[in-house]
Amino acid sequence: MSGGLLVAGTTSDAGKSVVTAGICRWLVRRGVKVAPFKAQNMSLNSFVTREGAEIGRAQAMQAQACRVEPTALMNPVLLKPGSEQSSQVVLMGRPVGELSARGYHGGRQQQLLGTVLDCLAELRGTYDAVICEGAGSPAEINLRRTDIVNMGIARNARPRLPVLVVGDIDRGGVFASFFGTVALLSREDQALVAGFLVNKFRGDVSLLEPGLDMLHGLTGRRTYGVLPFRHGLGIDEEDGMAVSLRGTVRESNVAPPVGEDVLRVAVCAVPLMSNFTDVDALAAEPGVVVRFVDRPEELADADLVVVPGTRGTVRALRWLRERGLADVLVRRAAEGRPVLGVCGGFQILGERIEDDVESRAGQVDGLGVLPVRVRFAREKTLTRPVGEALGEPVEGYEIHHGVADVTGGETFLDGCRVGAVWGTHWHGSLESDGFRRAFLREVAAAAGRRFVPAPDTSFAALREEQLDRLGDLIEEHADTDALWRLIESGAPQGLPFIPPGAPA
């Protein structure tokens, strides 16, 4: 078979990524050979595949849900915002240039349709089913002409893809959103919209059922399930541009610490923050409390400060100085209090940055707490390094234009350490359990905390458990028989047209 499904949403952050991962895990547990696909992703959280291609982290996690190795085919177009107006375009895992939003939607996007359709066709020829994720809403009528990720891909795929629309009822207005989404699509596109899936419902489902019946009467489309609200089910975030400092603090493990103290980790929420998922492995440790901060006083009680990756190193450095955070970081380093810089954060902690590529700012002084000089190269480094540090095996991935010249300090992964300040380009290193525990012991000693890492925390096992919980949600709260028929046979015939349809 060559089954498929497009999971669209009434809005951004409706739960498309989570639902796609859940459907993938449910299918693979049924013995179906399944793969994820997202034609175009806008994200500052990315991942490097084994062949050295850069894709969105959400698709890498969905591949894990499918128990397959992620490839560039699963996310052929990745947009990495560099400002509110422009993005780096990554095609088949490699950067091909910077484009403004107007330039991209003005013609470049439509040129990529053939590429994304070829990738989808190759996946469908290899797997029993491909579960595709849309982006934003399929009813963005201003972007319909150049759409290659929502109805554009569903309509042009062969065979065509049935569409399931996900709505976040926790936001309110889900019935209007479902109806309006369908009513703003063309007749041709409406024929592919099979029905709806309610996400994040709290309460008694029986109270919702009259509304679902009315929605069916109004649209002729059924609801395939009502997923209850569950804490801690989000997979890797997609859009670093949308991070709310107060609303997206990563959920820390509620288990008590093994030792006498907790360990407090403060993450500087720099502009264009990328791969902030690096700290998820810290938050998974019992007794480690992780929060994002943007004020110098919030660093006062931190045992470890993390300066994360960023798509704008020079801009982030300027922001740290303007906010007074830079002075605190320099003072912490002088006092022997722990600081970790990852990728762009590592570059910021160095002595000098020479950037004629990303910001075109030329030579800029860094914070000077690590003996490192960075020069930005036009070629992007995309690797999956493996090594040993702190006496433990460790692996990670690198995504950066900056080339670091380390002139002193102790070796630390690809970077260095001076006192209680560490710097590295390696993302994902803290997911290596033994290395993470050794690093936390070093941090606790430097911070004077009687914190002891749990001896048995497995980050990989926690990820698997999370993906299984997503699969459970689909299996227990969706009509899986109807969902399978949809994937296998496509949208039902004779679905009614809901006026007014898409404007000409």
Side-chain angles (χ1 to χ4, degrees), residues 318-438:
R318 187 185 311 120
W319 180 87
L320 289 167
R321 286 180 167 137
E322 289 170 349
R323 295 245 170 178
L325 290 159
D327 292 337
V328 178
L329 290 170
V330 172
R331 189 163 60 247
R332 284 183 67 94
E335 294 169 351
R337 301 178 66 197
V339 177
L340 171 65
V342 180
C343 201
F346 168 41
Q347 297 165 7
I348 285 169
L349 297 178
E351 298 169 347
R352 189 179 69 195
I353 299 168
E354 188 179 329
D355 181 11
D356 295 318
V357 176
E358 190 176 77
S359 68
R360 297 179 175 85
Q363 189 167 302
V364 178
D365 289 336
L367 298 187
V369 297
L370 288 177
V372 177
R373 296 184 177 186
V374 176
R375 177 185 55 82
F376 273 66
R378 296 198 176 278
E379 188 72 20
K380 182 184 280 191
T381 297
L382 296 168
T383 62
R384 290 275 292 270
V386 176
E388 183 177 302
L390 305 180
E392 296 286 347
V394 57
E395 59 184 88
Y397 55 99
E398 296 184 48
I399 306 170
H400 54 91
H401 284 279
V403 178
D405 178 19
V406 180
T407 60
E410 301 175 45
T411 299
F412 178 70
L413 301 176
D414 71 316
C416 64
R417 169 188 182 177
V418 174
V421 181
W422 296 265
T424 177
H425 277 127
W426 289 24
H427 294 290
S429 63
L430 294 169
E431 295 180 18
S432 298
D433 297 326
F435 169 75
R436 182 180 65 255
R437 286 191 278 269

Side-chain angles (χ1 to χ4, degrees), residues 12-31:
S12 295
D13 201 32
K16 297 183 291 291
S17 297
V18 167
V19 168
T20 300
I23 292 174
C24 286
R25 179 48 62 100
W26 159 66
L27 285 172
V28 82
R29 293 196 305 206
R30 283 186 54 155

Side-chain angles (χ1 to χ4, degrees), residues 102-426:
R102 181 177 293 276
Y104 184 69
H105 291 288
R108 178 61 169 161
Q109 185 181 35
Q110 189 65 20
Q111 294 170 11
L112 298 174
L113 179 60
T115 299
V116 301
L117 288 173
D118 287 346
C119 291
L120 177 58
E122 185 170 342
L123 288 173
R124 296 182 85 178
T126 306
Y127 292 88
D128 299 330
V130 178
I131 308 302
C132 307
E133 180 188 342
S137 162
E140 306 290 356
I141 54 179
N142 55 315
L143 303 177
R144 180 178 180 272
R145 184 178 61 84
T146 57
D147 171 41
I148 65 168
V149 65
N150 288 306
M151 302 310 300
I153 197 77
R155 185 173 60 248
N156 287 289
R158 293 293 178 267
R160 292 183 172 188
L161 292 170
V163 179
L164 184 69
V165 180
V166 178
D168 179 356
I169 198 170
D170 199 46
R171 294 182 174 191
V174 74
F175 291 115
S177 298
F178 281 145
F179 182 87
T181 296
V182 178
L184 281 177
L185 298 178
S186 68
R187 186 181 297 273
E188 183 183 18
D189 288 346
Q190 285 192 26
L192 299 175
V193 178
F196 314 107
L197 187 75
V198 177
N199 192 28
K200 297 183 184 178
F201 179 72
R202 306 173 192 252
D204 185 347
V205 176
S206 66
L207 299 177
L208 187 66
E209 287 171 350
L212 300 179
D213 291 340
M214 285 185 271
L215 181 67
H216 184 270
L218 288 166
T219 66
R221 290 158 175 85
R222 58 166 299 170
T223 297
Y224 283 77
V226 178
L227 306 185
F229 187 96
R230 292 285 187 269
H231 285 284
L233 283 182
I235 63 174
D236 291 348
E237 309 282 353
E238 285 201 342
D239 192 355
M241 297 270 293
V243 169
S244 162
L245 301 185
R246 304 292 172 250
T248 60
V249 175
R250 314 298 287 178
E251 292 193 39
S252 296
N253 197 303
V254 295
V258 175
E260 297 179 43
D261 287 343
V262 298
L263 209 61
R264 297 173 178 84
V265 178
V267 184
C268 296
V270 297
L272 299 175
M273 183 166 47
S274 61
N275 285 66
F276 54 86
T277 48
D278 284 336
V279 300
D280 283 357
L282 296 178
E285 284 285 348
V288 176
V289 180
V290 177
R291 65 185 188 276
F292 288 88
V293 304
D294 64 344
R295 295 191 294 264
E297 58 270 22
E298 293 177 299
L299 301 184
D301 67 342
D303 301 306
L304 170 66
V305 175
V306 177
V307 187
T310 170
R311 188 56 180 105
T313 300
V314 172
R315 176 177 169 182
L317 175 58
R318 187 185 311 120
W319 180 87
L320 289 167
R321 286 180 167 137
E322 289 170 349
R323 295 245 170 178
L325 290 159
D327 292 337
V328 178
L329 290 170
V330 172
R331 189 163 60 247
R332 284 183 67 94
E335 294 169 351
R337 301 178 66 197
V339 177
L340 171 65
V342 180
C343 201
F346 168 41
Q347 297 165 7
I348 285 169
L349 297 178
E351 298 169 347
R352 189 179 69 195
I353 299 168
E354 188 179 329
D355 181 11
D356 295 318
V357 176
E358 190 176 77
S359 68
R360 297 179 175 85
Q363 189 167 302
V364 178
D365 289 336
L367 298 187
V369 297
L370 288 177
V372 177
R373 296 184 177 186
V374 176
R375 177 185 55 82
F376 273 66
R378 296 198 176 278
E379 188 72 20
K380 182 184 280 191
T381 297
L382 296 168
T383 62
R384 290 275 292 270
V386 176
E388 183 177 302
L390 305 180
E392 296 286 347
V394 57
E395 59 184 88
Y397 55 99
E398 296 184 48
I399 306 170
H400 54 91
H401 284 279
V403 178
D405 178 19
V406 180
T407 60
E410 301 175 45
T411 299
F412 178 70
L413 301 176
D414 71 316
C416 64
R417 169 188 182 177
V418 174
V421 181
W422 296 265
T424 177
H425 277 127
W426 289 24

